[in-house]
Amino acid sequence: MKSIKLMIYGGQGGIEGIIEKEGDIKVMGMTGNEMDLLDSDHTSVMPDVILIDARSSGKYGQEVMQVLKEKYPSTPFVIFTAYSENHYLIEAIGHGAAGYVLQDGGMKQVLLAIRQCANGQIVYPASFKSILMKKLKQDVERSPVITLEQAIEKLGDFSKREHELLILLNQGETNQQISKKLFLSIGTVKNYISRIYRKLNVNNRPELMALLYSFQNGGMKG
């Protein structure tokens, strides 16, 4: 089984040793500040996931996010934090975090999020769903809503296959699920997704979802 290559930012409390006990996750390295991320050449191999351990200070903010997006634009990152306030979560999502795990969930939830994000999924606390639904309701009341099909048409010129992938990505399907539904290899699915990202000038699924949502809810006019 292929190991998930993980990089840890701000790790504490022996988190590296705990994760290393998992047979399917390999810790590539650990760092504690933004300059290390920029200057380091931890390896010529890109990480599959980056874990930001923000339990002590909660300082994973703008500087770290920007550095991560510059150096690893296509790598999903997971935030492990004690801060459950909505504005921290919203800030993290705004910066493209693929996962947000609260300390109360423990290492079991962290490991699950690492695996899910490596698999192309987005992992947020269940409590955020109600916040999101409330915001969606408010936005729908304020702005005209168009269908996903119309949003995709407004976004650009896509092949039939790319169009199918956009629909499935919007439904939260993983690469493996898309592969089975469209009878494509995982490699082919990843190639299509990379092509879609380039066309839309996004780096990851959270950014893609935000763009689709914006077009559907009148955030951008065609």
Side-chain angles (χ1 to χ4, degrees):
M1 180 172 57
K2 182 182 176 184
S3 294
I4 297 169
K5 298 181 291 294
L6 179 73
M7 183 178 292
I8 302 174
Y9 174 90
Q12 58 170 298
I15 191 170
E16 180 181 13
I18 296 171
I19 293 174
E20 280 281 15
K21 292 178 182 178
E22 301 295 311
D24 61 332
I25 303 174
K26 175 66 177 175
V27 178
M28 296 168 48
M30 246 171 54
T31 184
N33 63 66
E34 303 91 80
M35 294 312 298
D36 281 350
L37 280 175
L38 279 176
D39 296 339
S40 64
D41 231 355
H42 287 87
T43 175
S44 58
V45 180
M46 296 290 283
D48 296 312
V49 179
I50 297 173
L51 174 65
I52 302 177
D53 186 355
R55 287 173 292 167
S56 60
S57 67
K59 184 175 180 356
Y60 55 79
Q62 217 164 350
E63 302 88 356
V64 175
M65 298 290 186
Q66 288 173 347
V67 171
L68 287 172
K69 290 180 77 171
E70 287 172 13
K71 191 169 179 67
Y72 306 103
S74 61
T75 300
F77 50 94
V78 177
I79 295 170
F80 184 31
T81 179
Y83 296 84
S84 59
E85 290 86 351
N86 294 337
H87 66 276
Y88 284 113
L89 174 55
I90 292 168
E91 178 191 2
I93 293 172
H95 285 293
Y100 194 92
V101 181
L102 297 176
Q103 181 173 303
D104 292 348
M107 284 305 301
K108 183 177 180 181
Q109 290 300 315
V110 173
L111 294 168
L112 179 61
I114 290 169
R115 293 183 177 107
Q116 289 177 318
C117 289
N119 197 31
Q121 294 175 263
I122 297 172
V123 184
Y124 298 142
S127 59
F128 183 65
K129 292 179 182 177
S130 60
I131 302 167
L132 182 59
M133 291 307 296
K134 183 177 179 181
K135 185 177 187 309
L136 282 170
K137 185 175 183 295
Q138 292 171 343
D139 288 348
V140 166
E141 290 171 351
R142 284 197 302 262
S143 306
V145 179
I146 65 174
T147 67
L148 177 60
E149 298 278 350
Q150 291 172 319
I152 292 173
E153 286 180 11
K154 290 178 70 175
L155 278 167
D157 185 22
F158 297 100
S159 68
K160 180 181 177 182
R161 186 63 85 189
E162 290 168 343
H163 189 101
E164 291 173 334
L165 260 81
L166 277 165
I167 298 291
L168 293 173
L169 288 168
N170 190 67
Q171 292 172 354
E173 301 283 1
T174 66
N175 291 352
Q176 283 79 1
Q177 290 169 330
I178 293 172
S179 171
K180 289 179 181 178
K181 287 190 175 182
L182 299 183
F183 303 101
L184 299 171
S185 69
I186 295 293
T188 300
V189 170
K190 289 181 177 180
N191 287 338
Y192 272 116
I193 292 174
S194 295
R195 193 181 306 166
I196 290 170
Y197 286 175
R198 287 196 298 271
K199 283 187 176 183
L200 297 177
N201 194 29
V202 298
N203 296 310
N204 50 48
R205 291 199 188 200
E207 289 182 11
L208 175 63
M209 296 301 100
L211 185 62
L212 287 171
Y213 172 79
S214 178
F215 267 80
Q216 280 187 268
N217 291 277
M220 297 184 183
K221 306 299 181 183

